[in-house]
Amino acid sequence: MGFTGPLKYSKWKIKIAALRMYTSCVEKTDFEEFFLRCQMPDTFNSWFLITLLHVWMCLVRMKQEGRTGKYMCRIIVHFMWEDVEQRGRVMGVNSYLLKKNMALMTNNFYAAILGYDEGILSDDRGLAAALWRTFFNQKCEDPRQLELLVEYVRKQMQYLDSMNGEDLLLTGEVKWRPLVEKNPQSILKPHTPTYNDEGL
């Protein structure tokens, strides 16, 4: 897998940071606001689409941190699939259907990552097209919703880019900007997280 060389920090430290980063995608995201403003049903699939978008933004940021960041990306994705499977079981999905759905979701995940990667490197129209295809499943009738999401992704990526890479590798702590800013001028540089000499 290309991770045989030395990493900047020990694997267990990176795994803990990766778990925290994934957890931030599911616990620090305001899903209710997404359901409301993007007119999404409150379903497992909607939860997955919102989570996928936030996981992808974390992956884009961490890929900038060299070999260690790429290793962390792999662990974040691993935690995501563990969580998806666990949530499916809790919801009572039978094992055959869950396995079938997981295979479909895996294909959708990699297609989404590819589309989002192309979109973020493109202009706003390119990013809007990627979000329309994946996030809205080609069913967005209101251009304002697309505009809102493009703006959200752009400001969020800018915010993540302003975070210190070493801090992210050691703590995995990410805070998300609100979907709609109460004060558009309020996008400030993030605070520096604290951690002890063990990286915790």
Side-chain angles (χ1 to χ4, degrees), residues 9 21 52-53 64 68 103 140 143 167 189-191:
Y9 305 108
M21 189 167 283
L52 188 158
L53 181 67
Q64 297 172 42
T68 308
C140 180
D167 291 337
K189 285 201 75 154
H191 76 288

mmCIF file of all heavy atoms in Angstrom, residues 9 21 52-53 64 68 103 140 143 167 189-191:
data_model
loop_
_atom_site.group_PDB
_atom_site.id
_atom_site.type_symbol
_atom_site.label_atom_id
_atom_site.label_comp_id
_atom_site.label_asym_id
_atom_site.label_seq_id
_atom_site.Cartn_x
_atom_site.Cartn_y
_atom_site.Cartn_z
ATOM 1 N N TYR A 9 5.072 10.303 12.858
ATOM 2 C CA TYR A 9 4.686 9.950 14.226
ATOM 3 C C TYR A 9 4.318 8.469 14.271
ATOM 4 O O TYR A 9 4.118 7.849 13.233
ATOM 5 C CB TYR A 9 3.494 10.808 14.688
ATOM 6 C CG TYR A 9 3.745 12.290 14.568
ATOM 7 C CD1 TYR A 9 3.117 13.059 13.596
ATOM 8 C CD2 TYR A 9 4.649 12.924 15.422
ATOM 9 C CE1 TYR A 9 3.379 14.415 13.467
ATOM 10 C CE2 TYR A 9 4.912 14.283 15.299
ATOM 11 C CZ TYR A 9 4.274 15.024 14.323
ATOM 12 O OH TYR A 9 4.541 16.356 14.208
ATOM 13 N N MET A 21 -10.616 12.822 13.974
ATOM 14 C CA MET A 21 -10.990 13.585 12.783
ATOM 15 C C MET A 21 -12.277 13.021 12.183
ATOM 16 O O MET A 21 -13.181 13.782 11.808
ATOM 17 C CB MET A 21 -9.854 13.587 11.756
ATOM 18 C CG MET A 21 -10.108 14.542 10.606
ATOM 19 S SD MET A 21 -8.649 14.839 9.582
ATOM 20 C CE MET A 21 -7.714 15.972 10.614
ATOM 21 N N LEU A 52 -19.901 11.823 3.953
ATOM 22 C CA LEU A 52 -18.939 11.628 2.859
ATOM 23 C C LEU A 52 -18.318 12.959 2.441
ATOM 24 O O LEU A 52 -17.103 13.050 2.238
ATOM 25 C CB LEU A 52 -19.661 10.971 1.678
ATOM 26 C CG LEU A 52 -18.853 10.481 0.474
ATOM 27 C CD1 LEU A 52 -19.660 9.423 -0.279
ATOM 28 C CD2 LEU A 52 -18.481 11.596 -0.473
ATOM 29 N N LEU A 53 -19.141 14.002 2.325
ATOM 30 C CA LEU A 53 -18.635 15.322 1.925
ATOM 31 C C LEU A 53 -17.594 15.828 2.924
ATOM 32 O O LEU A 53 -16.527 16.330 2.528
ATOM 33 C CB LEU A 53 -19.805 16.315 1.825
ATOM 34 C CG LEU A 53 -19.435 17.737 1.385
ATOM 35 C CD1 LEU A 53 -18.946 17.764 -0.059
ATOM 36 C CD2 LEU A 53 -20.624 18.678 1.559
ATOM 37 N N GLN A 64 -2.113 16.721 1.976
ATOM 38 C CA GLN A 64 -1.054 17.736 1.861
ATOM 39 C C GLN A 64 0.076 17.504 2.864
ATOM 40 O O GLN A 64 1.105 18.177 2.806
ATOM 41 C CB GLN A 64 -1.645 19.130 2.088
ATOM 42 C CG GLN A 64 -2.687 19.546 1.065
ATOM 43 C CD GLN A 64 -3.373 20.840 1.457
ATOM 44 O OE1 GLN A 64 -2.731 21.783 1.911
ATOM 45 N NE2 GLN A 64 -4.674 20.900 1.278
ATOM 46 N N THR A 68 2.760 10.688 5.990
ATOM 47 C CA THR A 68 2.005 10.522 7.245
ATOM 48 C C THR A 68 0.552 10.927 7.048
ATOM 49 O O THR A 68 -0.357 10.246 7.520
ATOM 50 C CB THR A 68 2.652 11.342 8.376
ATOM 51 O OG1 THR A 68 4.042 11.014 8.454
ATOM 52 C CG2 THR A 68 2.003 11.046 9.714
ATOM 53 N N ALA A 103 -21.274 -2.581 -0.575
ATOM 54 C CA ALA A 103 -20.563 -2.661 -1.864
ATOM 55 C C ALA A 103 -20.970 -1.489 -2.760
ATOM 56 O O ALA A 103 -20.119 -0.849 -3.401
ATOM 57 C CB ALA A 103 -20.864 -3.996 -2.545
ATOM 58 N N CYS A 140 -31.579 18.314 -7.633
ATOM 59 C CA CYS A 140 -31.694 19.634 -7.007
ATOM 60 C C CYS A 140 -32.396 20.592 -7.967
ATOM 61 O O CYS A 140 -31.897 20.878 -9.053
ATOM 62 C CB CYS A 140 -30.301 20.168 -6.653
ATOM 63 S SG CYS A 140 -30.348 21.784 -5.892
ATOM 64 N N PRO A 143 -31.414 26.313 -7.525
ATOM 65 C CA PRO A 143 -30.007 26.682 -7.703
ATOM 66 C C PRO A 143 -29.388 27.321 -6.463
ATOM 67 O O PRO A 143 -28.176 27.283 -6.274
ATOM 68 C CB PRO A 143 -30.020 27.660 -8.883
ATOM 69 C CG PRO A 143 -31.439 28.095 -9.036
ATOM 70 C CD PRO A 143 -32.295 27.008 -8.478
ATOM 71 N N ASP A 167 -0.572 20.087 13.942
ATOM 72 C CA ASP A 167 -1.664 19.979 14.916
ATOM 73 C C ASP A 167 -2.698 18.958 14.458
ATOM 74 O O ASP A 167 -3.200 18.162 15.249
ATOM 75 C CB ASP A 167 -2.338 21.341 15.126
ATOM 76 C CG ASP A 167 -1.430 22.340 15.845
ATOM 77 O OD1 ASP A 167 -0.506 21.893 16.549
ATOM 78 O OD2 ASP A 167 -1.645 23.552 15.693
ATOM 79 N N LYS A 189 -9.218 32.821 11.604
ATOM 80 C CA LYS A 189 -8.278 31.706 11.667
ATOM 81 C C LYS A 189 -8.641 30.837 12.867
ATOM 82 O O LYS A 189 -8.996 31.340 13.922
ATOM 83 C CB LYS A 189 -6.844 32.221 11.797
ATOM 84 C CG LYS A 189 -6.305 32.782 10.500
ATOM 85 C CD LYS A 189 -4.810 32.812 10.491
ATOM 86 C CE LYS A 189 -4.260 31.433 10.294
ATOM 87 N NZ LYS A 189 -2.937 31.408 9.701
ATOM 88 N N PRO A 190 -8.529 29.513 12.721
ATOM 89 C CA PRO A 190 -8.894 28.623 13.835
ATOM 90 C C PRO A 190 -7.919 28.737 14.990
ATOM 91 O O PRO A 190 -6.764 29.114 14.805
ATOM 92 C CB PRO A 190 -8.821 27.235 13.208
ATOM 93 C CG PRO A 190 -7.862 27.383 12.070
ATOM 94 C CD PRO A 190 -8.036 28.787 11.567
ATOM 95 N N HIS A 191 -8.411 28.397 16.192
ATOM 96 C CA HIS A 191 -7.526 28.397 17.359
ATOM 97 C C HIS A 191 -6.577 27.205 17.260
ATOM 98 O O HIS A 191 -6.860 26.214 16.600
ATOM 99 C CB HIS A 191 -8.344 28.309 18.646
ATOM 100 C CG HIS A 191 -8.881 26.948 18.914
ATOM 101 N ND1 HIS A 191 -9.926 26.411 18.173
ATOM 102 C CD2 HIS A 191 -8.502 26.001 19.805
ATOM 103 C CE1 HIS A 191 -10.181 25.200 18.607
ATOM 104 N NE2 HIS A 191 -9.337 24.909 19.584
#
